[in-house]
Amino acid sequence: AQRVTQPEKLLSVFKGAPVELKCNYSYSGSPELFWYVQYSRQRLQLLLRHISRESIKGFTADLNKGETSFHLKKPFAQEEDSAMYYCALGIKYGQNFVFGPGTRLSVLP
Amino acid sequence: DAGVTQSPTHLIKTRGQQVTLRCSPISGHKSVSWYQQVLGQGPQFIFQYYEKEERGRGNFPDRFSARQFPNYSSELNVNALLLGDSALYLCASSLGAKGKEFISPQHFGDGTRLSIL
């Protein structure tokens, strides 16, 4: 069965510190992975997707098929990065998205 | 473009009642998906429709049903409401794809918060 896990419910870091939000998935097919973010009082929005291989707001994520991971990283956290982050697995057949439980990132001043 | 719009914003129902939630996708998007988000959890997939056809169904009972209209808007219906149906119901639209070329990202609405008394 398809599954996404995010081991940390809450992650607190100081401003300027590196941050890594962990995501692991289980899927027998070819995965497409996404990171979604929800800032306070805003709707859920796409942050980045692995096939784009881009950096958004300083965040990057690399798909590691061997470790079935898609960790989100940023070298220097900013206070405005404080939000809820969800890792999601896209499944082609049925166009289904499986979301992880989310990690709340708190960047302290 | 206002993005994905959902109505109503909030809804209070009692056990056993029926509810209809509505969603208008982003202009040009042909795919609509519905998710249930219980407090403290990530969104859980309920249905996906593309070009008015059901393309995917999550692990939800038959009390949950949906449809998509010719203008690509969608309704989610839940019958015989239970206390456990209390949640935020999210609608997401995407360009969609026929076949397996790519998965287009989902664009979410603000959701309808459903409370069952």
Side-chain angles (χ1 to χ4, degrees):
Chain A
Q2 303 88 12
R3 192 179 177 194
V4 175
T5 57
Q6 294 178 251
E8 303 123 337
K9 277 193 133 175
L10 174 64
L11 184 63
S12 295
V13 300
F14 286 102
K15 177 182 172 182
V19 62
E20 181 180 47
L21 289 83
K22 291 184 167 56
C23 170
N24 287 91
Y25 66 92
S26 60
Y27 179 51
S28 57
S30 181
E32 287 202 34
L33 277 298
F34 301 79
W35 276 99
Y36 282 83
V37 61
Q38 188 167 29
Y39 301 102
S40 179
R41 296 189 183 86
Q42 294 187 27
R43 59 183 60 180
L44 199 58
Q45 57 187 282
L46 177 69
L47 180 61
L48 54 80
R49 57 192 301 188
H50 89 272
I51 63 172
S52 301
R53 294 185 167 273
E54 56 193 347
S55 173
I56 304 293
K57 299 183 180 182
F59 284 98
T60 59
D62 290 318
L63 177 61
N64 186 324
K65 291 187 178 180
E67 296 182 358
T68 60
S69 68
F70 188 56
H71 303 327
L72 184 68
K73 300 177 184 179
K74 185 170 182 177
F76 308 103
Q78 304 298 317
E79 288 183 68
E80 55 265 29
D81 296 329
S82 295
M84 195 74 183
Y85 291 80
Y86 294 96
C87 182
L89 167 68
I91 301 168
K92 292 181 179 178
Y93 304 99
Q95 293 280 300
N96 187 357
F97 271 70
V98 179
F99 282 83
T103 296
R104 181 167 297 284
L105 175 64
S106 178
V107 181
L108 308 172
Chain B
D1 194 345
V4 177
T5 57
Q6 292 186 244
S7 63
T9 306
H10 295 89
L11 206 49
I12 299 175
K13 292 285 188 178
T14 57
R15 280 178 296 175
Q17 285 189 311
Q18 175 265 342
V19 69
T20 298
L21 311 181
R22 295 175 177 82
C23 172
S24 293
I26 291 172
S27 177
H29 283 191
K30 298 181 178 180
S31 175
V32 170
S33 297
W34 287 95
Y35 296 84
Q36 181 194 66
Q37 188 173 22
V38 174
L39 198 62
Q41 297 181 22
Q44 188 173 359
F45 173 76
I46 309 175
F47 286 110
Q48 196 225 14
Y49 277 77
Y50 176 69
E51 289 279 18
K52 302 180 286 295
E53 290 183 2
E54 183 182 300
R55 291 286 302 277
R57 174 185 280 256
N59 188 24
F60 279 81
D62 292 342
R63 298 185 296 109
F64 288 76
S65 63
R67 55 180 174 169
Q68 187 177 32
F69 299 99
N71 65 354
Y72 303 109
S73 67
S74 178
E75 287 182 351
L76 175 70
N77 295 284
V78 187
N79 294 322
L81 287 166
L82 303 174
L83 291 177
D85 295 331
S86 294
L88 180 68
Y89 288 85
L90 295 168
C91 174
S93 75
S94 64
L95 287 170
K98 257 191 175 173
K100 46 195 172 180
E101 295 84 19
F102 66 95
I103 296 177
S104 49
Q106 309 265 292
H107 298 262
F108 285 85
D110 289 324
T112 294
R113 183 157 301 280
L114 176 63
S115 298
I116 311 301
L117 303 179

